[in-house]
Amino acid sequence: MIALEGVWKEFPAPRGSERPAQRAVDDVSFTVPAGETLCLIGTSGCGKTTTLKMINRLVEPSGGRILINGSDTAASDRIALRRGIGYVIQKIGLLPHRTVAENIALLPRLEGWDASRLRARTDELLDMVGLRGYGGRYPAELSGGQQQRVGVARALALDPPILLMDEPFGALDPITRESLQDEFVRLKEVFKKTIVMVTHDLQEAFKLGDRVALMEQGRMVQIGAESDFRARPASPFVEDFLRAHLAHPTLSAIPALSAVARDARPSDDAPTLPRDATMKQAMDLFFRYPAATTLALVDENGTAVGAVTRESLLQAV
């Protein structure tokens, strides 16, 4: 369990400036029970990333208390604290000269794990994130979505009970982003971690979080489930935020693939979809078969009537 009690963070004004010190986070309190996913959201500069980083002491709070399972993090060794908390960021920061397996095994190796245990854990995590057989590749050989999955696997390598995620899908194209969101929903049921995630996308927050915490100018203005926000917005700011972020349909709302289907012949081993499939179904299929270059659209008799490429799908989105 994670608990923040009246936490605040003040950054001093630049030297020589007459501007007063600024509070990036101001009197924030919330609790994340074990196994829950809480999404922090708000406009740029509202303090959500600072709040996240204070949990693992990448940023030291100016006041208040942060407790993990009842223990005050201020009394903890910072290195030991961070090794017990997985951390995934938008810019994954994989080591380019190390293979995927070596990147995942980095922290266990520092902990002194032997080779057989390292190999078993790495293989387990590669299977979990859908990258079996990719352990010998280098980051430059992977797509952005694949690199992000390696980052998640690396954060889980020591099996930490807590996972912090700072806009992990923000830099990805819409197709990969929504596929990874779906994969994350599946994975969080598998590894059952306590998760705090920062996102700028309210639809993503509602999809991935058990609860959502909305911040404004360093303060927490509302925290609750999607139904709470929709039924009982706490202030005009919350109402405006909902209106601005829920005005556009998600990819799931796009009905069919007809706009992107081509007469081109699909590859012989292309995965197949019915001719009336949606873009969301095509996106999910490309995610399950990362090596596929085309999808075959088939009629009721199984005859190919067109093909969809990754490029045509992305262009349509």
Side-chain angles (χ1 to χ4, degrees):
M1 183 180 76
I2 304 169
L4 278 68
E5 300 178 350
V7 172
W8 57 281
K9 176 62 182 178
E10 188 172 84
F11 290 105
R15 182 174 297 179
S17 171
E18 296 181 357
R19 191 180 67 195
Q22 300 290 316
R23 283 202 175 187
V25 175
D26 191 3
D27 193 26
V28 166
S29 298
F30 61 81
T31 299
V32 188
E36 182 183 81
T37 298
L38 176 71
C39 287
L40 300 177
I41 191 164
T43 56
S44 296
C46 71
K48 54 188 183 292
T49 294
T50 300
T51 300
L52 186 81
K53 289 181 176 180
M54 286 193 291
I55 295 173
N56 65 356
R57 295 181 62 190
L58 283 173
V59 171
E60 294 286 358
S62 301
R65 295 202 306 166
I66 299 176
L67 309 174
I68 293 181
N69 296 327
S71 298
D72 193 334
T73 58
S76 304
D77 176 79
R78 280 186 294 179
I79 300 301
L81 174 69
R82 290 170 192 167
R83 288 190 179 177
I85 298 176
Y87 190 47
V88 182
I89 59 176
Q90 182 173 322
K91 296 180 180 179
I92 293 302
L94 300 179
L95 299 176
H97 61 289
R98 293 185 180 271
T99 65
V100 166
E102 289 169 339
N103 270 280
I104 293 172
L106 185 61
L107 286 179
R109 189 180 302 279
L110 291 174
E111 291 287 292
W113 288 23
D114 61 48
S116 61
R117 187 182 179 193
L118 276 173
R119 185 164 50 252
R121 181 60 173 162
T122 301
D123 289 345
E124 177 188 10
L125 289 167
L126 286 170
D127 281 347
M128 183 184 293
V129 299
L131 290 175
R132 177 185 294 183
Y134 283 71
R137 298 194 185 187
Y138 288 87
E141 300 176 276
L142 305 180
S143 69
Q146 290 167 341
Q147 290 183 24
Q148 196 62 263
R149 282 186 274 165
V150 175
V152 172
R154 182 180 59 186
L156 295 172
L158 292 177
D159 198 22
I162 293 171
L163 188 63
L164 306 180
M165 308 181 79
D166 190 0
E167 299 204 36
F169 311 134
L172 302 173
D173 64 79
I175 295 173
T176 305
R177 181 185 178 94
E178 187 150 340
S179 291
L180 283 181
Q181 289 172 354
D182 292 341
E183 185 70 3
F184 177 80
V185 171
R186 180 188 70 82
L187 283 176
K188 76 173 190 173
E189 296 302 318
V190 174
F191 52 65
K192 299 185 184 301
K193 306 294 182 185
T194 305
I195 301 169
V196 181
M197 174 188 290
V198 166
T199 176
H200 64 273
D201 183 338
L202 184 60
Q203 292 177 339
E204 179 174 85
F206 284 157
K207 179 176 181 177
L208 304 184
D210 299 303
R211 289 187 301 153
V212 173
L214 177 60
M215 299 183 69
E216 179 190 15
Q217 296 181 351
R219 288 184 170 271
M220 193 69 66
V221 294
Q222 185 164 351
I223 183 168
E226 177 179 359
S227 57
D228 299 321
F229 278 84
R230 291 183 181 275
R232 295 175 294 277
S235 69
F237 170 78
V238 178
E239 292 179 349
D240 290 343
F241 194 89
L242 290 172
R243 189 177 301 113
H245 285 77
L246 298 178
H248 305 290
T250 65
L251 292 179
S252 304
I254 300 174
L257 278 173
S258 57
V260 296
R262 299 288 184 269
D263 293 332
R265 175 182 174 84
S267 58
D268 293 335
D269 57 349
T272 61
L273 281 171
R275 64 188 305 167
D276 60 350
T278 65
M279 289 190 183
K280 177 66 166 55
Q281 289 172 309
M283 178 182 67
D284 290 342
L285 201 57
F286 271 130
F287 181 75
R288 290 202 302 272
Y289 297 94
T293 58
T294 58
L295 300 179
L297 295 183
V298 299
D299 61 20
E300 293 180 359
N301 298 319
T303 302
V305 294
V308 177
T309 66
R310 289 178 183 272
E311 290 74 18
S312 64
L313 190 60
L314 181 57
Q315 286 174 358
V317 173

